Amino acid sequence: MTRSAQSQRPEASLPPAAEHPFLLACRREESPFTPVWLMRQAGRYLPEYRRVRERLSFLELCGRSDLAAEVTVTAAERLGVDAAIIFADILLPLVPMGVGLRYEKGDGPRIEQPIRMAADVDRLTPVSVEESLAFVAETVRLSRAGLNGKVPLIGFAGAPFTVASYLIEGGSSRMHVTTKVLMQRDALTWQRLMERIVDVTADYLNMQIAAGVDAVQLFDSWVGCLSPRDYQRHVLPYTKRLISALRPGVPVIHFGTMTGSLLELMRDAGGDVVGLDWRVEIDEAWQRLGPEVGVQGNLDPALLFADAAEIRRAVREMLARAGSRPGYIANLGHGVLPETPVDNVLAFVDAVHEYGRR
Ligand code: CP3
């Protein structure tokens, strides 16, 4: 099959929203084919995205709900995936907190006034997400309208640890030493910071849910740097509190990377689906997690730089490991890398649809 502009999803007509394969899989119900989407599917690897981004900065684009929705819908349509994700960022709630968030070309987010001690937590501006992040709710409404019921819409936020790590490190970090030291040395400041983040994040996600997202994903992208003991003591109670503060009935996907030693604890924090990276095998991970959760993942994003034949082989193996148990959502093990060839992303989606029919 040649495949240029748009992909064909296996089903011919639209199922009712709740019957969509992505939402069936979130609820661990049988579905006619394996649903697939990609983290960072609306990003720099897509020429359509780069064209929109040429005219404005990343934060300006997030603030333009009409363009943000266009980016979300274009990516979902172009790829033929089974879910769309809103165009926003896990760090947007930090803007109204007043810590001086900027996105810099090349080295990602920077925070001018990082959190290092109790007084820094005290000066965080109290946030009303309905006021300061209303544009995200508008992006949800416009994305939904643009998708027109074709595929479900995913909302998202950062999980408390990953958001705290940006606030404390002041940007991206490899070892997260400053975060770990604060967590160990100043338990009270850690607790107060995590509680602030939980409250804002719960409001942020409940606002997205009220505006119409069908599911939410929590990105705990960097939590894999912690020992199980530290996760249990310093992270699990907060993530658990956050998830239990979300409006019930909306599936929660709980994702992190390098979490091979934390999976059971992440499951215990709550959520319907655990997101896996490529460092674990799906069958072994799911065995450990047990039948009460679904799983999502987990192709190595670097494999999308290989050729179509290798991608198809890797997808086939991934689906074989996932098996036929309901509750599996195909995805990468982390976000699409910026230089990824679009044709290879299409090959990935097509291969899941081809090999994932029931
Ligand atoms: O398509 C989608 O998945 C939706 C949009 C989305 C973005 N960020 C847009 C974005 C999502 C789901 C995120 C989540 C996010 N943001 C995470 C968790 C996912 C992960 O990768 O672990 C993290 C850690 C962030 C924080 C963040 N935002 C970083 C580290 C960066 C810079 C990194 C980079 O790729 O340059 C951003 C900026 C950002 N967020 C971009 C996009 C498309 C790139 C901005 C640009 O230059 O256009």
Side-chain angles (χ1 to χ4, degrees):
M1 180 176 74
T2 53
R3 153 101 210 249
S4 49
Q6 293 213 339
S7 154
Q8 289 300 306
R9 236 164 271 119
E11 91 274 41
S13 60
L14 293 180
E19 300 291 304
H20 194 282
F22 169 79
L23 292 172
L24 290 171
C26 286
R27 300 195 303 264
R28 299 188 311 286
E29 291 172 19
E30 295 282 353
S31 110
F33 61 91
T34 301
V36 57
W37 68 282
L38 296 88
M39 292 181 275
R40 292 284 180 102
Q41 66 192 22
R44 278 170 303 189
Y45 79 98
L46 262 190
E48 290 89 341
Y49 172 77
R50 292 197 301 270
R51 216 166 301 133
V52 175
R53 214 3 211 97
E54 263 166 25
R55 289 177 274 140
L56 60 197
S57 73
F58 175 68
L59 273 180
E60 285 166 346
L61 174 52
C62 290
R64 280 283 306 269
S65 303
D66 56 335
L67 294 176
E70 181 191 311
V71 164
T72 286
V73 174
T74 305
E77 285 181 348
R78 170 105 194 248
L79 301 179
V81 284
D82 304 299
I85 181 162
I86 60 165
F87 191 82
D89 198 70
I90 66 165
L91 302 180
L92 292 181
L94 307 192
V95 175
M97 284 183 173
V99 291
L101 172 68
R102 289 180 289 117
Y103 289 86
E104 285 175 355
K105 246 194 157 53
D107 40 64
R110 304 276 347 146
I111 285 154
E112 273 157 28
Q113 292 108 40
I115 305 293
R116 299 286 159 81
M117 55 178 105
D120 298 327
V121 180
D122 293 333
R123 64 166 171 72
L124 288 173
T125 311
V127 173
S128 157
V129 296
E130 281 81 7
E131 283 168 29
S132 45
L133 298 171
F135 62 89
V136 177
E138 184 64 6
T139 297
V140 171
R141 287 187 286 268
L142 294 176
S143 300
R144 252 186 94 91
L147 291 167
N148 199 20
K150 264 183 255 165
V151 294
L153 180 63
I154 304 169
F156 70 93
F161 174 82
T162 290
V163 174
S165 81
Y166 279 100
L167 274 168
I168 295 166
E169 302 290 337
S172 302
S173 164
R174 217 160 60 84
M175 301 304 286
H176 297 97
V177 174
T178 316
T179 305
K180 292 179 185 183
V181 168
L182 189 147
M183 176 197 279
Q184 303 296 345
R185 270 209 195 137
D186 193 349
L188 187 61
T189 300
W190 176 256
Q191 181 190 331
R192 290 179 55 234
L193 177 61
M194 290 293 270
E195 283 170 352
R196 284 292 283 273
I197 295 170
V198 167
D199 290 346
V200 174
T201 308
D203 289 350
Y204 184 47
L205 285 173
N206 281 327
M207 177 183 77
Q208 295 176 30
I209 291 169
V213 297
D214 299 290
V216 296
Q217 176 156 324
L218 269 183
F219 285 92
D220 216 346
S221 302
W222 314 131
V223 78
C225 70
L226 294 179
S227 67
R229 192 173 349 111
D230 284 335
Y231 182 90
Q232 187 156 26
R233 197 178 300 162
H234 299 292
V235 177
L236 193 150
Y238 303 101
T239 302
K240 194 172 189 167
R241 195 180 312 168
L242 167 62
I243 293 174
S244 58
L246 301 181
R247 200 169 92 189
V250 177
V252 176
I253 304 170
H254 188 184
F255 166 79
T257 70
M258 298 191 293
T259 51
S261 64
L262 304 178
L263 292 175
E264 293 89 346
L265 293 168
M266 287 178 68
R267 173 204 60 203
D268 293 347
D272 303 273
V273 177
V274 175
L276 306 173
D277 81 359
W278 63 93
R279 298 168 184 91
V280 294
E281 299 294 1
I282 294 178
D283 48 347
E284 290 164 23
W286 210 351
Q287 181 70 32
R288 282 166 54 197
L289 288 166
E292 302 296 311
V293 287
V295 296
Q296 173 178 280
N298 71 344
L299 197 90
D300 185 342
L303 285 185
L304 295 188
F305 290 84
D307 61 35
E310 285 164 68
I311 292 167
R312 292 169 60 79
R313 199 175 318 126
V315 166
R316 206 169 182 161
E317 260 172 49
M318 175 175 82
L319 295 185
R321 292 223 180 238
S324 54
R325 183 176 353 163
Y328 171 61
I329 300 163
N331 204 315
L332 301 179
H334 202 175
V336 186
L337 296 164
E339 315 291 328
T340 306
V342 178
D343 283 345
N344 290 356
V345 177
L346 294 173
F348 170 74
V349 173
D350 284 346
V352 173
H353 283 157
E354 184 180 331
Y355 297 132
R357 285 171 201 270
R358 298 265 177 247

